[in-house]
Amino acid sequence: MDKHIPFFYNRFLNSPDVQDMNSAEKGAYLMLLFNSIEQTPPGYLPDDLDLLRKITGLPNNAWHKSKNKLLNKLTYSSTHRAYFNESMLNV
């Protein structure tokens, strides 16, 4: 079955943080969001920076330049030892 999520494009387009991202970072951020839905529990991304880099598809040098900017868009849960975006938790 195909899955879908509500995508609040106006939040994405109008976010100052996203506006500050280059095209590769925007794509990487979307990959993190979309992949979080497939994790257990859904909506969370594991606290594994190498795995997160692989999810983004960014080369190592681009990941090291961009990871703080990308991770700042997520919240860290010490309970789950994972990152999440509030909007992805109820998908």
Side-chain angles (χ1 to χ4, degrees), residues 19-73:
Q19 289 174 353
D20 189 43
M21 293 178 182
N22 63 39
S23 295
E25 291 167 338
K26 289 174 185 168
Y29 178 49
L30 288 173
M31 291 301 293
L32 291 172
L33 293 178
F34 296 158
N35 276 272
S36 72
I37 299 161
E38 297 295 319
Q39 303 298 314
T40 303
Y44 290 88
L45 291 162
D47 185 7
D48 179 338
L49 294 180
D50 190 49
L51 176 61
L52 297 181
R53 183 198 61 78
K54 289 175 184 172
I55 289 172
T56 67
L58 293 173
N60 282 330
N61 61 337
W63 169 252
H64 289 294
K65 289 180 187 175
S66 301
K67 73 178 175 184
N68 289 337
K69 188 183 294 186
L70 295 168
L71 295 179
N72 283 338
K73 291 293 292 171

